[in-house]
Structure formats: structure tokens, C-alpha cells
Amino acid sequence: DSGVTQTPKHLITATGQRVTLRCSPRSGDLSVYWYQQSLDQGLQFLIQYYNGEERAKGNILERFSAQQFPDLHSELNLSSLELGDSALYFCASSVAGDRRNTGELFFGEGSRLTVL
Amino acid sequence: AQKITQTQPGMFVQEKEAVTLDCTYDTSDQSYGLFWYKQPSSGEMIFLIYQGSYDEQNATEGRYSLNFQKARKSANLVISASQLGDSAMYFCAMKGDFNKFYFGSGTKLNVKP
């Protein structure tokens, strides 16, 4: 158990719909990351938050948005869903970086989204 | 620009043999961390091993070791005595400034009995 909790684990929805994925980071971790992994693909970085503020943005579509709340949990909102959005969405958390950049990413189990 | 390159999309290894998964990186950061993750078919991401850019000794964790060659910017993962349960996708990653992580495209390892 990594300590990162993601809900829901599985989600099936239709094209054009909107879904929200939720993530609770490990206790004490200030950084939250979202990744998308399509079938048999690598990890595509979507967005990173640090203590409630957006820190970095990757290849995140305009139809997608995210935020990190004061209690440090994060939500990823996916709207106007398309078939190609079907993927495994990971949330991960990490301690704040020190000078030597230790501190691995702890991944949740992922939310598997299927768009029909 | 920060980049992680894994040039082996797929590899086979015989059970009980050692295997090396390649990873090269590019960074202008002075301080960085290198990580390897395993993703079995069940999908979860499992942290395997970490190497800091200032660490002079190669990291080891059980059957996993990281062959760190800083001048060549390589951080290869060596798995000794492969087991069937090692069959999985393996990702190399780098952590740089501002807590940014960069992942390679992964190597799919198949261990043959």
C-alpha cells in the first residue's frame, strides 16, 4: 500500500460525458502529480501541484482540468470525453524536494476510465 | 531539456539469468535523482530503486542494482537471477528541480522459464 488513494478504481462512461477522479496523497506529501497511461503506452505527464498551487503542466488537454485543495487532496476533471480518453489515470505524490532530490513518487493504484 | 531515454522496447531473459535494462538521461540540473519503477500486468507502479546524482556508490536493493555512470549519463537497471515474477514493464525516471519527474517510455521484460 503506497498510501496514495485514488477513487474510483474503475469508471465506464459515454462519449461527451464528464467525470471527476479523486486523489488523496500520502500523509505529509505536498506534491501531487497526474499521469495518463493509454493501453500499452508509457506515462504521459498531465499536471503537477505543490501545496495547492499548479507547479508544472504537461500534455493536458483543455478539456481536462485539475486542482489541489487546502487539505492537499486533488481532483482531475475530464469533460467532453472522447473514445481516446480511455486510459489508466494515475495520481502520485512526493515529499517536497530537498537539495539532493531524493524522495520517490508514490503511486496510487490508478483509475481505469473506459469511454464507450 | 530534461529527457529520459529507454531504447529497449522489449527484452527477453531466461529465468535465473541476469538482465540489464538501459536508461540514459539528459539534464542540466546539478542535483537530480534517478529511479526505476516496475509495472506488472496488474497495473500498479512499484518503486524499485533510487540513485542520487551525488551518490558515489551504485545503489542496490536485493536483486536490483543500478549501474550509475554519471559521465555517460546512464542509469541502467540490473536484475540478477531473474524470476518469472519479474516479467513486467520497467520505467526509468528522473527527478529534477522543483520536484519535476520525467519518465522514459519503458521496457517490457519477459522472463522465460
Side-chain angles (χ1 to χ4, degrees), chain B:
Chain B
Q2 324 282 22
K3 190 177 180 182
I4 295 280
T5 302
Q6 293 181 253
T7 58
Q8 305 154 313
M11 289 192 69
F12 286 90
V13 65
Q14 202 68 39
E15 193 179 9
K16 299 180 185 177
E17 292 185 350
V19 63
T20 298
L21 307 184
D22 294 341
C23 172
T24 58
Y25 61 93
D26 193 11
T27 182
S28 54
D29 293 339
Q30 293 301 308
S31 173
Y32 51 89
L34 297 159
F35 304 82
W36 278 90
Y37 287 85
K38 172 184 179 181
Q39 186 180 36
S41 58
S42 51
E44 72 269 29
M45 293 287 287
I46 302 167
F47 164 71
L48 294 178
I49 196 167
Y50 160 81
Q51 177 84 41
S53 58
Y54 291 114
D55 295 338
E56 294 184 354
Q57 301 267 4
N58 285 342
T60 59
E61 289 287 348
R63 294 185 300 110
Y64 304 108
S65 61
L66 199 152
N67 184 359
F68 180 46
Q69 298 187 46
K70 193 170 183 177
R72 298 180 63 182
K73 294 190 175 179
S74 73
N76 298 339
L77 177 70
V78 180
I79 306 175
S80 63
S82 297
Q83 301 173 355
L84 295 178
D86 294 334
S87 292
M89 194 77 160
Y90 289 81
F91 291 98
C92 179
M94 178 176 65
K95 181 178 184 180
D97 288 344
F98 305 108
N99 260 12
K100 291 185 178 179
F101 278 84
Y102 306 87
F103 280 83
S105 54
T107 295
K108 190 166 185 177
L109 177 66
N110 283 293
V111 181
K112 299 186 293 184

Side-chain angles (χ1 to χ4, degrees), chain A residues 1-112:
Chain A
D1 182 3
S2 68
V4 178
T5 304
Q6 284 188 252
T7 57
K9 286 186 168 47
H10 299 276
L11 190 57
I12 301 173
T13 189
T15 54
Q17 295 298 304
R18 172 191 169 97
V19 298
T20 296
L21 309 180
R22 194 179 191 279
C23 170
S24 294
R26 283 191 333 149
S27 177
D29 285 356
L30 300 178
S31 290
V32 169
Y33 306 73
W34 286 98
Y35 290 88
Q36 179 194 53
Q37 187 179 34
S38 301
L39 190 63
D40 292 334
Q41 298 294 311
L43 292 164
Q44 295 296 320
F45 169 64
L46 296 178
I47 199 162
Q48 174 194 355
Y49 284 88
Y50 176 76
N51 202 20
E53 294 189 3
E54 182 183 305
R55 177 60 65 89
K57 190 176 272 193
N59 299 322
I60 187 167
L61 300 172
E62 286 191 10
R63 300 183 286 108
F64 296 179
S65 64
Q67 54 183 326
Q68 186 180 28
F69 295 87
D71 66 352
L72 300 179
H73 92 272
S74 178
E75 292 181 357
L76 178 67
N77 300 296
L78 315 175
S79 62
S80 302
L81 285 168
E82 301 175 0
L83 295 178
D85 297 328
S86 295
L88 186 57
Y89 291 84
F90 282 109
C91 171
S93 73
S94 175
V95 299
D98 57 24
R99 286 187 60 197
R100 300 188 65 175
N101 281 316
T102 57
E104 69 268 31
L105 273 180
F106 292 89
F107 282 84
E109 293 183 347
S111 292
R112 188 169 295 279

